[in-house]
Amino acid sequence: MLLVDILAELCPQRVRVIHVHHGLQSQASQWARQVADWCATRGLDCQVCQVTVAAGNLEAQARIARYQAFAQHVATHECVVLAHHQQDQAETVLMRLLKGSGVQGLAAMSALSQRQGLRLWRPMLGCDRALVTQLAEQRQLPMIDDPANQDQRFDRVYLRQVVWPVLGSRWQGMQQVLGRVALLMQDAAEILSEVAQQDLRACQIASIDALDAIQLQSLSPARQRQVVAVWMQADQPYAPPLQQVNMVLGLLQHRSDARAQVDWSGWRFQYYQAVLYRTARHQNTQHQVVPPTGAVQSNDEIPTSLQLQIGQTLTLPSGDWAVVAAPTGLPMALLQQPLWLKTRVGGERLHLEGRVGRWPLKKFLQMLQIPPWQRDTVQLLMVEGNAIDQAEVEVVGIVTPKGFFVVHSSLAVDAECWRLERLQQT
């Protein structure tokens, strides 16, 4: 309330209020009305956003719901201003220290930051809690004390009511000291982030969302942990626990076991032939055909028949593909015939472009260094025949995570040709 009152004076006609109604207290609706009524007296726009807090860690889930509400109602040109003060910052540092956080965790809250596409500003981080209360009383602002602030089941409340007075009686100025620790850790975290990003660029194989294990192991153990943590985190708001980072690095010690895997936050991490892979744990294996008109057809199973044309895009288990004109490939006449895709079953022998003689498809996939867990995404492109009478079917190409390859007998050169081209991941 103090923050709104001051900003309304400093930035007239440029402030609006979002009140998140968590519904966790019986008085929540009353509080929302009180805030809205007060804003109305000041001529401020106030939007009350009622959210549903998921089960689990109450504080964490409430925070997730709150930021989701912000993301829905804050425009791209706006900045979310939050009223965290100096004691909030000090408590955050101490709580994260007790939970074993590293430099990034101890950096706590920054005055300026971004989260989930939102620009955040915390102008009161240097203000003592007592000063905030004093100013609110001087301005005669309506104040509400959330009953949850007295519930010692919450770690922050227990720290504030039980631990804080004991530490404060021994170490005067502890709050300011912990605030300085946060600032020092923010500097350290920024330096570490720059180094980690440099290491990540050196190790990353962006085309397949993987890390070069040989390049990774050339780094010191500390830098290995840092770069793997950054890579694992991706766009998640929080870094993975150290235990998970060490488990991913442990895959390098079990490189002979292609079945070894580590799951974290919707991702699966696996190792194969000097490469650490990251894949979605529940990848969509549906087949989608997208004509140039943009219409999308989706089926639960891969269709037996396709009618392709130049410019068409397809989403297959092995990735996103486009039908493109090419100097070498399959003859254009094939686009006038029904084609169909079939998942490999094993035992196939094919004479593929650029190879001499017929090779077992399994050996070709090994040569391409396609991990075992991705080989079931390999598909055979066929012409003629049908799914029932496979004796009449001719294989004209194969679709793999490493590219599209034409069967030698169907290869056309120095003519109008087409092929499938994999679209780059974004």
Side-chain angles (χ1 to χ4, degrees):
M1 298 297 283
L2 176 66
L3 180 65
V4 175
D5 196 47
I6 293 176
L7 286 177
E9 288 185 8
L10 296 177
C11 311
Q13 309 304 316
R14 297 179 62 188
V15 177
R16 65 189 187 92
V17 177
I18 295 179
H19 177 83
V20 181
H21 184 329
H22 296 89
L24 298 176
Q25 300 284 348
S26 59
Q27 309 100 309
S29 295
Q30 176 186 336
W31 297 341
R33 286 193 300 271
Q34 183 171 336
V35 172
D37 291 346
W38 181 82
C39 288
T41 64
R42 295 295 309 270
L44 295 170
D45 175 27
C46 178
Q47 188 167 17
V48 176
C49 303
Q50 189 155 2
V51 300
T52 300
V53 179
N57 184 306
L58 191 61
E59 292 174 288
Q61 293 301 329
R63 187 182 306 111
I64 291 172
R66 187 159 56 249
Y67 278 95
Q68 287 175 343
F70 291 158
Q72 291 175 4
H73 298 284
V74 175
T76 55
H77 68 280
E78 293 180 314
C79 177
V80 180
V81 192
L82 302 170
H84 296 110
H85 49 69
Q86 191 177 68
Q87 186 170 337
D88 292 327
Q89 179 79 311
E91 289 171 355
T92 299
V93 173
L94 196 52
M95 286 180 62
R96 292 184 177 178
L97 177 64
L98 295 173
K99 291 180 179 180
S101 295
V103 170
Q104 188 176 27
L106 295 178
M109 297 176 285
S110 300
L112 295 171
S113 63
Q114 292 196 17
R115 175 175 175 157
Q116 298 173 229
L118 296 169
R119 290 179 293 177
L120 308 179
W121 179 30
R122 299 180 177 90
M124 297 170 62
L125 279 183
C127 296
D128 182 76
R129 180 188 181 95
L131 175 61
V132 173
T133 302
Q134 179 184 349
L135 291 174
E137 291 174 346
Q138 287 178 356
R139 289 171 172 260
Q140 298 181 339
L141 298 176
M143 292 187 287
I144 297 169
D145 190 9
D146 188 339
N149 288 334
Q150 308 302 320
D151 191 344
Q152 292 188 9
R153 290 177 302 171
F154 298 114
D155 289 343
R156 188 177 290 270
V157 176
Y158 181 84
L159 180 68
R160 183 179 301 154
Q161 293 189 349
V162 179
V163 178
W164 201 263
V166 174
L167 295 178
S169 65
R170 176 78 179 191
W171 288 279
Q172 300 296 322
M174 179 185 67
Q175 186 169 293
Q176 292 81 358
V177 169
L178 290 174
R180 287 199 298 272
V181 168
L183 289 174
L184 292 172
M185 291 299 102
Q186 287 169 19
D187 285 348
E190 185 175 346
I191 295 170
L192 285 175
S193 177
E194 292 175 0
V195 174
Q197 290 299 327
Q198 292 173 3
D199 289 343
L200 182 60
R201 286 192 292 270
C203 296
Q204 200 161 25
I205 309 172
S207 60
I208 56 174
D209 195 8
L211 295 183
D212 183 327
I214 295 176
Q215 184 69 32
L216 178 64
Q217 290 180 299
S218 70
L219 303 173
S220 68
R223 288 170 68 177
Q224 288 182 41
R225 289 191 293 272
Q226 184 75 6
V227 72
V228 168
V230 171
W231 178 59
M232 290 177 66
Q233 182 176 355
D235 58 355
Q236 298 296 311
Y238 299 107
L242 177 60
Q243 180 184 10
Q244 297 294 114
V245 173
N246 286 334
M247 288 173 65
V248 170
L249 283 169
L251 294 172
L252 305 182
Q253 310 306 318
H254 299 88
R255 48 184 178 267
S256 60
D257 183 4
R259 297 170 299 176
Q261 61 192 40
V262 176
D263 292 340
W264 181 75
S265 190
W267 296 102
R268 174 159 292 167
F269 301 88
Q270 293 167 284
Y271 175 92
Y272 179 70
Q273 293 191 355
V275 176
L276 268 177
Y277 289 85
R278 177 178 63 188
T279 56
R281 288 170 60 183
H282 306 293
Q283 287 183 325
N284 182 6
T285 58
Q286 290 184 351
H287 179 107
Q288 297 177 348
V289 181
V290 186
T293 59
V296 178
Q297 300 171 342
S298 177
N299 299 295
D300 292 333
E301 297 180 356
I302 296 174
T304 58
S305 180
L306 297 174
Q307 189 68 53
L308 301 180
Q309 56 183 303
I310 299 296
Q312 198 166 350
T313 60
L314 304 92
T315 296
L316 304 177
S318 55
D320 295 331
W321 300 84
V323 182
V324 299
T328 63
L330 294 169
M332 288 291 185
L334 284 184
L335 292 180
Q336 309 306 315
Q337 303 181 42
L339 299 167
W340 57 285
L341 284 166
K342 175 179 176 294
T343 302
R344 64 178 288 267
V345 295
E348 299 91 350
R349 295 177 64 89
L350 298 171
H351 183 187
L352 298 172
E353 60 179 317
R355 310 298 300 174
V356 177
R358 293 167 64 86
W359 282 57
L361 182 54
K362 178 180 178 180
K363 187 172 182 180
F364 181 69
L365 299 179
Q366 290 173 341
M367 183 202 71
L368 290 178
Q369 295 186 325
I370 296 177
W373 60 87
Q374 291 184 356
R375 292 176 193 168
D376 59 357
T377 67
V378 174
Q379 294 171 289
L380 308 179
L381 181 65
M382 300 179 170
V383 67
E384 302 293 346
N386 53 59
I388 299 174
D389 185 3
Q390 296 188 13
E392 298 181 5
V393 174
E394 177 188 357
V395 178
V396 296
I398 64 169
V399 187
T400 81
K402 291 292 185 71
F404 174 72
F405 302 89
V406 177
V407 172
H408 183 76
S409 59
S410 302
L411 185 66
V413 182
D414 297 329
E416 290 189 358
C417 305
W418 67 275
R419 63 194 307 131
L420 295 180
E421 181 178 278
R422 183 163 185 181
L423 302 176
Q424 291 295 321
Q425 295 178 337
T426 57

